[in-house]
Amino acid sequence: MVAGGISWRAMPADFPGWGLVYAFFRRWREHGLITAFHDQLRGKVREREGREAEPTAGIIDAQSVRAAATVPAASRGYDDGKKVPGRKRHIVTDTLGMLLAVVVTAANIGDRDAATGLFRACAVCTATSPSSGPTAATPAPSSTGAARNSP
C-alpha cells in the first residue's frame, strides 16, 4: 500500500473502490490507528505465545538496500562494508521478531549512529502510548542518523 507495494488504483477486485479504501487508510493514518492496530495485533500474538503483551527486550538489525536512481542524493550513501550504494534500514524487533521501530538512513550511516535514532523512536512510542508500536521514520537528512517520526 506504500511505495514498493501495490498502487491504490490496482486494488484486488474483491475490495471496494480504491478511492474509498484510500480514504479509510488516510483517516486511520491521520488518527494514529494504523500504529494502534499493529500494537494490538502484536500484543495478541505475544499473549498467544505465552508472553506478556509488552516486550521487555529488543533486537536491533540493519540491512543495506540499493537505491534507485530516482532516490534523492541527500538520502543515499555508500555502505563500504557491503559495497552497496543506497539506503540502510535499521529495525528493532522483540524476541519473537515482531516489529517495534524502523529508521531509514543513508547507507553510509553506521549502525552505532543509527541506534540512537532507534532508541529515540522506541522511547517516543512508549511515551505516547501504553504499547511500544512500530515507529516508521523517514530517511534522515543528516549524517547523524536521527529519525523523524512519520504519521
Side-chain angles (χ1 to χ4, degrees):
M1 298 300 176
V2 294
I6 65 169
S7 66
W8 286 107
R9 294 178 194 260
M11 296 292 292
D14 56 342
F15 276 61
W18 75 269
L20 181 62
V21 173
Y22 179 73
F24 271 94
F25 170 77
R26 194 180 76 225
R27 241 179 282 146
W28 290 351
R29 186 185 62 203
E30 288 170 357
H31 290 86
L33 293 175
I34 301 295
T35 300
F37 294 155
H38 183 272
D39 294 349
Q40 292 293 320
L41 289 171
R42 186 187 63 237
K44 297 287 185 198
V45 169
R46 288 184 56 81
E47 288 172 346
R48 190 172 358 129
E49 293 293 321
R51 309 282 183 102
E52 293 291 324
E54 292 303 314
T56 56
I59 301 164
I60 298 176
D61 195 16
Q63 179 181 21
S64 295
V65 181
R66 289 187 191 280
T70 57
V71 174
S75 67
R76 283 186 291 165
Y78 187 77
D79 183 346
D80 283 329
K82 296 188 178 168
K83 310 293 186 218
V84 175
R87 292 180 171 169
K88 193 181 283 188
R89 36 177 190 250
H90 308 268
I91 64 169
V92 179
T93 65
D94 67 5
T95 55
L96 294 176
M98 302 288 195
L99 188 63
L100 300 175
V102 177
V103 174
V104 177
T105 65
N108 61 315
I109 303 301
D111 296 346
R112 181 183 62 201
D113 294 332
T116 59
L118 282 170
F119 293 144
R120 250 191 314 254
C122 284
V124 167
C125 291
T126 57
T128 58
S129 71
S131 53
S132 56
T135 297
T138 58
S142 68
S143 62
T144 63
R148 292 189 331 230
N149 293 335
S150 66

